[in-house]
Coordinates of all heavy atoms in Angstrom, one line a residue:
L218 N 104.1 116.2 69.9 CA 105.3 116.7 70.6 C 106.4 117.3 69.7 O 107.4 117.8 70.2 CB 105.9 115.6 71.3 CG 105.1 114.9 72.5 CD1 105.8 113.6 73.0 CD2 104.9 115.9 73.5
G219 N 106.3 117.3 68.4 CA 107.2 117.7 67.6 C 108.4 116.8 67.4 O 108.2 115.6 67.3
A220 N 109.6 117.3 67.4 CA 110.8 116.4 67.3 C 111.8 116.9 68.4 O 112.7 117.6 68.1 CB 111.4 116.5 65.9
P221 N 111.6 116.5 69.7 CA 112.5 116.9 70.7 C 113.9 116.3 70.5 O 114.0 115.2 70.0 CB 111.8 116.3 72.0 CG 110.9 115.3 71.5 CD 110.5 115.6 70.1
G222 N 114.9 117.0 70.9 CA 116.3 116.6 70.8 C 116.7 115.5 71.6 O 117.8 114.8 71.4
Y223 N 116.0 115.3 72.7 CA 116.4 114.2 73.6 C 115.8 112.9 73.3 O 116.1 111.8 74.0 CB 116.0 114.6 75.1 CG 114.5 114.8 75.2 CD1 113.6 113.8 75.5 CD2 114.1 116.1 75.1 CE1 112.2 114.1 75.7 CE2 112.8 116.5 75.3 CZ 111.8 115.5 75.6 OH 110.5 115.7 75.7
I224 N 115.0 112.7 72.2 CA 114.5 111.4 71.7 C 115.2 111.1 70.3 O 115.2 111.9 69.4 CB 112.9 111.5 71.5 CG1 112.2 111.8 72.8 CG2 112.5 110.2 70.9 CD1 112.3 110.8 73.9
T225 N 115.8 109.9 70.3 CA 116.5 109.5 69.1 C 115.8 108.3 68.4 O 115.5 107.3 69.1 CB 117.9 109.1 69.4 OG1 118.6 110.2 70.1 CG2 118.7 108.7 68.1
P226 N 115.4 108.4 67.2 CA 114.8 107.2 66.5 C 115.9 106.2 66.1 O 117.0 106.6 65.6 CB 114.2 107.8 65.3 CG 114.9 109.1 65.0 CD 115.4 109.6 66.3
I227 N 115.6 105.0 66.5 CA 116.5 103.8 66.1 C 115.8 102.9 65.1 O 114.7 102.5 65.4 CB 116.9 103.0 67.4 CG1 117.4 103.9 68.5 CG2 117.7 101.9 67.0 CD1 118.7 104.6 68.3
F228 N 116.4 102.7 64.0 CA 115.9 101.8 62.9 C 116.5 100.4 63.2 O 117.7 100.3 63.0 CB 116.2 102.4 61.5 CG 115.5 103.7 61.3 CD1 116.4 104.9 61.4 CD2 114.3 103.9 61.0 CE1 115.8 106.1 61.2 CE2 113.7 105.1 60.7 CZ 114.5 106.2 60.9
N229 N 115.6 99.4 63.3 CA 116.1 98.0 63.5 C 115.2 97.1 62.8 O 114.0 96.9 63.2 CB 116.2 97.8 65.0 CG 116.9 96.5 65.3 OD1 117.5 95.9 64.4 ND2 116.8 96.0 66.6
N230 N 115.6 96.4 61.8 CA 114.9 95.4 61.1 C 113.7 95.9 60.5 O 112.5 95.3 60.6 CB 114.7 94.1 62.0 CG 115.9 93.4 62.3 OD1 116.9 93.4 61.6 ND2 115.9 92.7 63.4
G231 N 113.7 97.2 59.9 CA 112.5 97.7 59.4 C 111.5 98.3 60.4 O 110.6 99.0 59.9
A232 N 111.8 98.3 61.6 CA 110.9 98.9 62.7 C 111.6 100.0 63.3 O 112.8 100.1 63.4 CB 110.5 97.9 63.7
V233 N 110.9 101.1 63.7 CA 111.3 102.2 64.3 C 111.1 102.2 65.9 O 109.8 102.0 66.1 CB 110.8 103.5 63.7 CG1 111.4 104.8 64.5 CG2 111.2 103.5 62.2
S234 N 112.0 102.3 66.7 CA 111.8 102.6 68.1 C 112.5 103.9 68.5 O 113.4 104.3 67.9 CB 112.4 101.3 68.9 OG 113.7 101.2 68.7
Y235 N 112.0 104.4 69.6 CA 112.6 105.6 70.1 C 113.2 105.5 71.4 O 112.7 104.8 72.3 CB 111.4 106.7 70.2 CG 110.8 107.0 68.8 CD1 109.7 106.2 68.4 CD2 111.4 108.0 68.0 CE1 109.2 106.5 67.1 CE2 110.9 108.2 66.7 CZ 109.8 107.5 66.3 OH 109.2 107.7 65.1
R236 N 114.3 106.1 71.6 CA 115.2 106.0 72.8 C 115.5 107.4 73.4 O 115.6 108.3 72.6 CB 116.5 105.3 72.5 CG 116.4 103.9 71.9 CD 116.1 102.9 72.9 NE 115.7 101.7 72.3 CZ 116.5 100.7 72.0 NH1 117.7 100.8 72.2 NH2 116.0 99.6 71.5
Y237 N 115.5 107.4 74.6 CA 115.9 108.7 75.4 C 117.4 108.8 75.2 O 118.2 107.9 75.6 CB 115.5 108.6 76.8 CG 115.8 109.9 77.6 CD1 115.0 111.0 77.5 CD2 116.9 110.0 78.4 CE1 115.3 112.1 78.2 CE2 117.3 111.1 79.0 CZ 116.4 112.2 79.0 OH 116.7 113.3 79.6
T238 N 117.9 110.0 74.8 CA 119.3 110.3 74.7 C 119.9 110.9 75.9 O 119.4 111.9 76.4 CB 119.6 111.2 73.5 OG1 119.0 110.6 72.4 CG2 121.0 111.5 73.3
V239 N 120.9 110.3 76.5 CA 121.5 110.7 77.7 C 122.8 111.5 77.2 O 123.7 110.9 76.6 CB 122.0 109.7 78.7 CG1 122.7 110.1 79.9 CG2 120.7 108.9 79.2
H240 N 122.9 112.7 77.6 CA 124.1 113.5 77.2 C 125.3 113.3 78.0 O 125.1 112.9 79.2 CB 123.7 115.0 77.0 CG 122.5 115.3 76.0 ND1 122.8 115.2 74.7 CD2 121.3 115.5 76.2 CE1 121.7 115.5 74.1 NE2 120.7 115.7 75.0
D241 N 126.5 113.6 77.4 CA 127.7 113.5 78.3 C 127.6 114.5 79.4 O 127.1 115.5 79.4 CB 128.9 113.8 77.3 CG 129.1 112.8 76.3 OD1 128.5 111.6 76.3 OD2 129.7 113.1 75.2
S242 N 128.4 114.1 80.5 CA 128.6 115.0 81.6 C 130.0 114.9 82.2 O 130.6 113.8 81.9 CB 127.5 114.7 82.7 OG 127.7 113.5 83.3
K243 N 130.3 115.9 82.9 CA 131.7 115.8 83.5 C 131.6 116.2 85.0 O 130.8 117.0 85.4 CB 132.6 116.9 82.9 CG 133.0 116.5 81.5 CD 134.0 117.6 80.9 CE 134.3 117.3 79.5 NZ 135.3 118.3 79.0
S244 N 132.3 115.5 85.7 CA 132.3 115.7 87.2 C 133.8 115.7 87.6 O 134.7 115.0 87.2 CB 131.7 114.5 87.9 OG 131.8 114.7 89.3
Y245 N 134.2 116.8 88.4 CA 135.6 117.0 88.8 C 135.7 116.7 90.2 O 135.0 117.1 91.1 CB 136.0 118.4 88.5 CG 136.0 118.7 86.9 CD1 134.9 119.3 86.4 CD2 137.1 118.4 86.2 CE1 134.9 119.6 85.1 CE2 137.1 118.7 84.8 CZ 136.0 119.2 84.2 OH 136.0 119.5 82.9
N246 N 136.8 115.9 90.5 CA 137.2 115.6 91.9 C 138.6 116.1 92.2 O 139.4 116.1 91.3 CB 137.1 114.0 92.1 CG 135.9 113.5 91.7 OD1 134.8 114.1 91.9 ND2 135.8 112.2 91.2
V247 N 138.9 116.5 93.4 CA 140.2 117.0 93.8 C 140.6 116.3 95.1 O 139.8 116.3 96.0 CB 140.0 118.6 94.0 CG1 141.4 119.1 94.5 CG2 139.6 119.3 92.8
F248 N 141.9 115.9 95.0 CA 142.5 115.3 96.3 C 143.8 115.8 96.4 O 144.6 116.1 95.5 CB 142.5 113.8 96.1 CG 141.1 113.1 96.0 CD1 140.5 112.9 94.8 CD2 140.6 112.8 97.1 CE1 139.3 112.4 94.7 CE2 139.3 112.2 97.1 CZ 138.7 111.9 95.8
A249 N 144.2 116.0 97.7 CA 145.6 116.5 98.0 C 146.1 115.6 99.2 O 145.4 115.2 100.1 CB 145.6 118.0 98.4
T250 N 147.3 115.2 99.0 CA 148.0 114.3 100.0 C 149.3 114.9 100.5 O 150.1 115.6 99.8 CB 148.4 112.9 99.4 OG1 147.2 112.3 98.9 CG2 149.0 112.0 100.5
Y251 N 149.4 114.9 101.9 CA 150.7 115.4 102.5 C 151.3 114.3 103.3 O 150.6 113.6 104.1 CB 150.3 116.6 103.4 CG 151.6 117.1 104.1 CD1 152.5 117.9 103.4 CD2 151.8 116.9 105.4 CE1 153.6 118.4 104.0 CE2 152.9 117.4 106.1 CZ 153.8 118.2 105.4 OH 154.9 118.7 106.1
R252 N 152.5 114.0 103.1 CA 153.3 112.9 103.8 C 154.2 113.6 104.8 O 155.0 114.4 104.5 CB 154.1 112.1 102.8 CG 154.9 110.9 103.6 CD 155.4 109.9 102.6 NE 154.3 109.2 102.0 CZ 154.3 109.0 100.7 NH1 155.3 109.3 99.9 NH2 153.3 108.4 100.1
V253 N 154.0 113.3 106.1 CA 154.8 113.8 107.1 C 156.1 113.0 107.3 O 156.2 111.8 107.5 CB 154.0 113.8 108.5 CG1 154.8 114.3 109.6 CG2 152.8 114.5 108.3
S254 N 157.2 113.7 107.3 CA 158.5 113.1 107.6 C 159.1 113.9 108.8 O 159.5 115.0 108.7 CB 159.5 113.3 106.5 OG 159.1 112.5 105.3
A255 N 158.9 113.2 110.0 CA 159.4 113.9 111.2 C 160.2 112.9 112.1 O 160.2 111.8 112.0 CB 158.1 114.3 112.0
A256 N 161.0 113.6 113.0 CA 161.8 112.8 113.9 C 160.9 112.0 114.9 O 161.3 111.0 115.5 CB 162.7 113.7 114.6
N257 N 159.7 112.6 115.2 CA 158.8 111.9 116.1 C 158.3 110.6 115.5 O 157.8 110.5 114.5 CB 157.6 112.8 116.4 CG 156.6 112.3 117.4 OD1 156.5 111.1 117.6 ND2 156.0 113.2 118.0
R258 N 158.4 109.5 116.3 CA 158.1 108.2 115.7 C 156.6 108.0 115.5 O 156.1 107.2 114.7 CB 158.6 107.1 116.6 CG 158.0 106.9 117.9 CD 158.6 105.9 118.8 NE 157.9 105.8 120.0 CZ 157.4 104.7 120.5 NH1 157.5 103.5 119.8 NH2 156.9 104.6 121.6
Y259 N 155.7 108.8 116.2 CA 154.3 108.7 116.0 C 153.9 109.4 114.7 O 152.8 109.1 114.2 CB 153.6 109.3 117.2 CG 153.9 108.5 118.5 CD1 154.7 109.0 119.5 CD2 153.3 107.2 118.7 CE1 154.9 108.3 120.6 CE2 153.6 106.5 119.8 CZ 154.3 107.0 120.8 OH 154.6 106.3 121.9
L260 N 154.6 110.4 114.3 CA 154.2 111.2 113.2 C 154.9 110.8 111.9 O 154.5 111.0 110.8 CB 154.3 112.7 113.4 CG 153.4 113.3 114.4 CD1 153.8 114.8 114.6 CD2 152.1 113.2 114.0
N261 N 156.1 110.2 112.0 CA 156.9 109.9 110.9 C 156.2 108.8 110.0 O 155.5 107.9 110.6 CB 158.3 109.2 111.3 CG 159.2 109.2 110.2 OD1 159.2 110.0 109.2 ND2 160.1 108.2 110.3
N262 N 156.2 108.9 108.7 CA 155.6 108.0 107.7 C 154.1 108.1 107.8 O 153.4 107.2 107.6 CB 156.1 106.7 107.8 CG 157.5 106.5 107.3 OD1 158.0 107.1 106.5 ND2 158.2 105.7 108.1
T263 N 153.6 109.2 108.2 CA 152.1 109.4 108.2 C 151.7 110.2 107.0 O 152.3 111.2 106.6 CB 151.7 110.2 109.6 OG1 152.1 109.4 110.6 CG2 150.1 110.4 109.6
S264 N 150.6 109.8 106.4 CA 150.0 110.6 105.2 C 148.6 111.0 105.6 O 147.8 110.4 106.2 CB 149.9 109.6 104.0 OG 151.2 109.3 103.6
I265 N 148.3 112.3 105.2 CA 147.0 112.9 105.3 C 146.5 113.1 104.0 O 147.1 113.9 103.1 CB 147.1 114.2 106.2 CG1 147.7 113.8 107.5 CG2 145.8 114.8 106.3 CD1 148.2 115.1 108.3
R266 N 145.3 112.7 103.7 CA 144.7 113.0 102.3 C 143.3 113.6 102.6 O 142.4 113.1 103.3 CB 144.5 111.6 101.6 CG 143.9 111.8 100.2 CD 143.8 110.5 99.6 NE 143.3 110.7 98.2 CZ 142.8 109.7 97.5 NH1 142.8 108.5 97.9 NH2 142.3 109.9 96.3
L267 N 143.1 114.7 101.8 CA 141.8 115.5 101.9 C 141.3 115.5 100.4 O 142.0 115.7 99.5 CB 141.9 116.9 102.4 CG 140.8 117.8 102.4 CD1 139.8 117.2 103.5 CD2 141.2 119.2 102.8
G268 N 140.0 115.2 100.3 CA 139.4 115.1 98.9 C 138.0 115.7 98.9 O 137.3 115.7 99.9
V269 N 137.6 116.1 97.6 CA 136.3 116.7 97.5 C 135.8 116.0 96.1 O 136.6 116.0 95.1 CB 136.3 118.2 97.3 CG1 134.9 118.7 97.1 CG2 137.0 118.8 98.5
N270 N 134.6 115.4 96.1 CA 134.0 114.9 95.0 C 133.0 115.8 94.4 O 132.2 116.5 95.2 CB 133.3 113.5 95.3 CG 134.2 112.4 95.5 OD1 135.4 112.4 95.1 ND2 133.7 111.3 96.2
N271 N 132.9 116.0 93.1 CA 132.0 116.8 92.4 C 132.1 118.3 92.8 O 131.2 118.9 93.3 CB 130.5 116.3 92.6 CG 129.5 116.9 91.6 OD1 129.9 117.6 90.6 ND2 128.3 116.7 91.9
V272 N 133.3 118.7 92.6 CA 133.7 120.1 93.1 C 132.8 121.2 92.7 O 132.5 122.1 93.5 CB 135.2 120.4 92.6 CG1 135.5 121.8 92.9 CG2 136.1 119.5 93.2
F273 N 132.3 121.2 91.3 CA 131.6 122.2 90.8 C 130.0 121.9 91.0 O 129.2 122.6 90.4 CB 131.8 122.5 89.4 CG 133.3 122.9 89.2 CD1 134.2 122.1 88.5 CD2 133.7 124.1 89.8 CE1 135.5 122.5 88.3 CE2 135.0 124.5 89.6 CZ 135.9 123.7 88.8
D274 N 129.6 120.9 91.8 CA 128.2 120.6 92.1 C 127.4 120.4 90.8 O 126.4 120.9 90.7 CB 127.6 121.7 93.0 CG 126.4 121.1 93.7 OD1 126.2 119.9 93.8 OD2 125.6 122.0 94.1
A275 N 127.9 119.5 89.9 CA 127.3 119.2 88.7 C 126.0 118.6 88.9 O 125.9 117.7 89.8 CB 128.2 118.4 87.7
I276 N 125.0 118.8 88.1 CA 123.7 118.2 88.2 C 123.8 116.7 87.5 O 124.5 116.6 86.5 CB 122.6 119.0 87.4 CG1 122.4 120.3 88.0 CG2 121.3 118.2 87.3 CD1 121.6 121.3 87.3
P277 N 123.4 115.7 88.2 CA 123.6 114.4 87.7 C 122.7 114.1 86.4 O 121.6 114.5 86.3 CB 123.1 113.4 88.8 CG 122.1 114.3 89.6 CD 122.6 115.7 89.5
P278 N 123.4 113.3 85.5 CA 122.6 113.0 84.3 C 121.7 111.7 84.6 O 122.0 111.1 85.5 CB 123.8 112.6 83.2 CG 124.8 112.1 84.2 CD 124.8 113.0 85.5
L279 N 120.8 111.5 83.8 CA 119.9 110.3 83.9 C 120.7 109.1 83.8 O 121.7 109.0 83.0 CB 118.8 110.3 82.8 CG 117.7 109.3 83.0 CD1 117.0 109.4 84.3 CD2 116.9 109.3 81.8
S280 N 120.5 108.0 84.6 CA 121.2 106.8 84.7 C 120.2 105.6 84.7 O 119.0 105.9 85.1 CB 122.1 106.7 85.9 OG 122.7 105.5 86.0
S281 N 120.6 104.5 84.5 CA 119.8 103.3 84.5 C 119.6 102.8 85.9 O 118.9 101.9 86.2 CB 120.3 102.2 83.7 OG 121.6 101.8 84.1
D282 N 120.3 103.4 86.9 CA 120.1 103.1 88.4 C 118.7 103.3 88.7 O 118.0 104.1 88.2 CB 121.1 103.9 89.1 CG 121.2 103.4 90.6 OD1 121.9 102.4 90.9 OD2 120.5 104.0 91.4
S283 N 118.3 102.6 89.8 CA 116.9 102.7 90.2 C 116.6 104.1 90.8 O 115.5 104.5 90.9 CB 116.6 101.7 91.3 OG 117.5 101.9 92.5
R284 N 117.6 104.8 91.2 CA 117.5 106.2 91.7 C 117.5 107.2 90.6 O 117.1 108.4 90.8 CB 118.6 106.6 92.6 CG 118.4 105.9 94.0 CD 119.7 105.9 94.8 NE 120.6 104.9 94.2 CZ 121.2 104.0 95.0 NH1 121.0 104.0 96.3 NH2 122.0 103.1 94.4
G285 N 117.9 106.8 89.3 CA 117.9 107.7 88.3 C 119.2 108.5 88.0 O 119.4 109.3 87.1
Y286 N 120.2 108.3 88.9 CA 121.5 108.8 88.8 C 122.5 107.9 89.5 O 122.1 107.0 90.1 CB 121.6 110.3 89.5 CG 121.3 110.1 91.0 CD1 122.4 110.0 91.9 CD2 120.0 110.1 91.6 CE1 122.1 109.9 93.3 CE2 119.8 110.0 92.9 CZ 120.8 109.9 93.8 OH 120.6 109.8 95.1
D287 N 123.8 108.1 89.3 CA 124.9 107.3 89.8 C 125.2 107.8 91.2 O 125.9 108.9 91.3 CB 126.1 107.4 88.9 CG 127.2 106.4 89.4 OD1 127.0 105.8 90.3 OD2 128.2 106.3 88.6
P288 N 124.8 107.0 92.3 CA 125.1 107.5 93.5 C 126.5 107.6 94.1 O 126.8 108.2 95.0 CB 124.2 106.6 94.5 CG 124.1 105.4 93.6 CD 124.1 105.9 92.2
S289 N 127.4 106.9 93.3 CA 128.8 107.0 93.7 C 129.4 108.2 93.3 O 130.5 108.5 93.9 CB 129.5 105.7 93.1 OG 129.6 105.9 91.6
I290 N 128.8 109.0 92.4 CA 129.4 110.3 92.0 C 128.6 111.5 92.4 O 129.0 112.4 92.9 CB 129.5 110.3 90.4 CG1 130.4 109.2 90.0 CG2 130.1 111.6 90.0 CD1 130.4 109.0 88.5
Y291 N 127.3 111.3 92.4 CA 126.4 112.4 92.6 C 125.6 112.1 94.0 O 125.2 110.9 94.2 CB 125.4 112.6 91.5 CG 126.1 113.0 90.3 CD1 126.3 112.0 89.4 CD2 126.6 114.3 89.9 CE1 127.0 112.2 88.1 CE2 127.2 114.6 88.8 CZ 127.4 113.5 87.9 OH 128.1 113.9 86.8
N292 N 125.3 113.1 94.7 CA 124.4 113.0 95.9 C 123.4 114.0 95.8 O 123.6 115.2 96.1 CB 125.3 113.2 97.1 CG 124.5 113.1 98.5 OD1 123.4 112.8 98.4 ND2 125.1 113.3 99.5
T293 N 122.1 113.6 95.5 CA 121.1 114.6 95.3 C 120.2 114.7 96.6 O 119.5 115.7 96.6 CB 120.1 114.1 94.1 OG1 119.5 112.9 94.4 CG2 120.9 114.1 92.8
M294 N 120.5 113.9 97.5 CA 119.7 114.0 98.7 C 120.2 115.2 99.5 O 119.4 116.0 100.1 CB 119.7 112.8 99.6 CG 119.1 111.6 98.9 SD 117.3 111.8 98.7 CE 116.7 111.8 100.2
A295 N 121.5 115.4 99.6 CA 122.1 116.5 100.3 C 123.0 117.2 99.3 O 124.2 116.9 99.2 CB 122.9 116.0 101.5
R296 N 122.5 118.1 98.6 CA 123.1 118.8 97.5 C 124.4 119.5 98.1 O 124.3 120.1 99.1 CB 122.2 119.8 96.8 CG 121.1 119.2 96.1 CD 121.5 118.6 94.8 NE 122.0 119.6 93.9 CZ 122.8 119.3 92.8 NH1 123.0 118.1 92.5 NH2 123.2 120.3 92.0
G297 N 125.4 119.4 97.3 CA 126.6 120.1 97.7 C 127.9 119.2 97.5 O 127.8 118.2 96.7
L298 N 128.9 119.4 98.2 CA 130.1 118.7 98.0 C 130.2 117.4 98.9 O 129.7 117.5 100.0 CB 131.4 119.6 98.2 CG 131.4 120.9 97.4 CD1 132.5 121.7 97.8 CD2 131.5 120.7 95.9
S299 N 130.9 116.5 98.4 CA 131.3 115.3 99.3 C 132.7 115.3 99.7 O 133.6 115.3 98.8 CB 131.1 114.0 98.5 OG 130.0 113.5 98.8
W300 N 133.0 115.6 101.0 CA 134.3 115.7 101.4 C 134.9 114.3 102.0 O 134.0 113.5 102.5 CB 134.4 116.7 102.6 CG 134.1 118.1 102.1 CD1 132.9 118.6 102.0 CD2 135.1 119.1 101.7 NE1 133.0 119.9 101.5 CE2 134.3 120.2 101.4 CE3 136.5 119.1 101.7 CZ2 135.0 121.4 100.9 CZ3 137.0 120.2 101.2 CH2 136.3 121.4 100.9
S301 N 136.2 114.1 101.9 CA 136.7 112.9 102.6 C 138.1 113.2 103.2 O 138.7 114.1 102.7 CB 136.9 111.7 101.6 OG 137.8 112.1 100.6
L302 N 138.3 112.6 104.4 CA 139.7 112.7 105.0 C 140.2 111.3 105.3 O 139.5 110.5 105.8 CB 139.4 113.5 106.3 CG 140.7 113.6 107.2 CD1 141.7 114.6 106.4 CD2 140.3 114.3 108.5
Q303 N 141.4 111.1 105.0 CA 142.0 109.8 105.2 C 143.4 110.0 105.9 O 144.3 110.8 105.4 CB 142.2 109.1 103.8 CG 142.9 107.7 104.0 CD 143.1 107.1 102.6 OE1 142.8 107.7 101.6 NE2 143.7 105.9 102.6
L304 N 143.6 109.3 107.0 CA 144.9 109.3 107.6 C 145.5 107.8 107.5 O 144.9 106.9 107.8 CB 144.7 109.6 109.1 CG 144.2 111.0 109.5 CD1 143.9 111.1 110.9 CD2 145.2 112.1 109.0
T305 N 146.8 107.8 107.1 CA 147.5 106.6 106.9 C 148.8 106.6 107.7 O 149.5 107.6 107.6 CB 147.7 106.3 105.5 OG1 146.5 106.4 104.7 CG2 148.3 104.9 105.2
K306 N 149.1 105.5 108.4 CA 150.3 105.4 109.1 C 151.1 104.1 108.7 O 150.5 103.0 108.8 CB 150.1 105.4 110.7 CG 151.2 105.1 111.6 CD 152.2 106.2 111.6 CE 153.4 105.8 112.5 NZ 154.5 106.4 112.2
K307 N 152.4 104.2 108.2 CA 153.2 103.2 107.9 C 154.0 102.7 109.2 O 154.6 103.6 109.8 CB 154.1 103.4 106.9 CG 153.6 103.3 105.4 CD 154.7 103.5 104.5 CE 154.3 103.3 103.1 NZ 155.4 103.5 102.2
F308 N 154.1 101.4 109.5 CA 154.8 101.0 110.7 C 156.1 100.3 110.2 O 156.2 99.8 109.1 CB 154.0 100.0 111.5 CG 152.9 100.7 112.2 CD1 151.6 100.6 111.7 CD2 153.1 101.4 113.4 CE1 150.5 101.2 112.4 CE2 152.1 102.1 114.0 CZ 150.8 101.9 113.6

């Protein structure tokens, strides 16, 4: 196999073992919140939050999870962005 860059030799007590190297990755999330201040009692103190996870649709790095990636950040079943909408009302 030669010497692939993704395999790192580890020396421990005179023995050599080889480990798979997981490279760093970056994932960007964007969220925007708007707070409504209105005379209407139903709309006053209401917040609207819109968010997007993994904006640039980054490919997930290998993880120790049983799926091989971190499902809280990446969604490989339905490739694309993860959107969220949150409405909050203070009484």
Side-chain angles (χ1 to χ4, degrees):
L218 294 175
Y223 56 86
I224 301 292
T225 305
I227 305 294
F228 298 101
N229 189 9
N230 295 331
V233 178
S234 60
Y235 296 91
R236 305 277 168 91
Y237 182 82
T238 304
V239 178
H240 298 286
D241 296 338
S242 67
K243 291 183 183 180
S244 174
Y245 295 95
N246 304 326
V247 175
F248 295 92
T250 302
Y251 179 73
R252 182 168 292 137
V253 179
S254 295
N257 185 331
R258 68 182 182 124
Y259 297 108
L260 293 178
N261 195 29
N262 292 323
T263 301
S264 295
I265 302 168
R266 180 180 182 195
L267 179 65
V269 182
N270 287 341
N271 196 8
V272 173
F273 299 116
D274 198 19
I276 297 172
L279 184 65
S280 170
S281 60
D282 189 80
S283 63
R284 288 164 280 235
Y286 63 94
D287 186 357
S289 66
I290 301 173
Y291 301 97
N292 181 3
T293 60
M294 295 299 289
R296 293 285 298 164
L298 306 175
S299 255
W300 294 83
S301 64
L302 176 65
Q303 177 182 1
L304 296 172
T305 306
K306 170 70 177 151
K307 277 189 180 179
F308 291 102

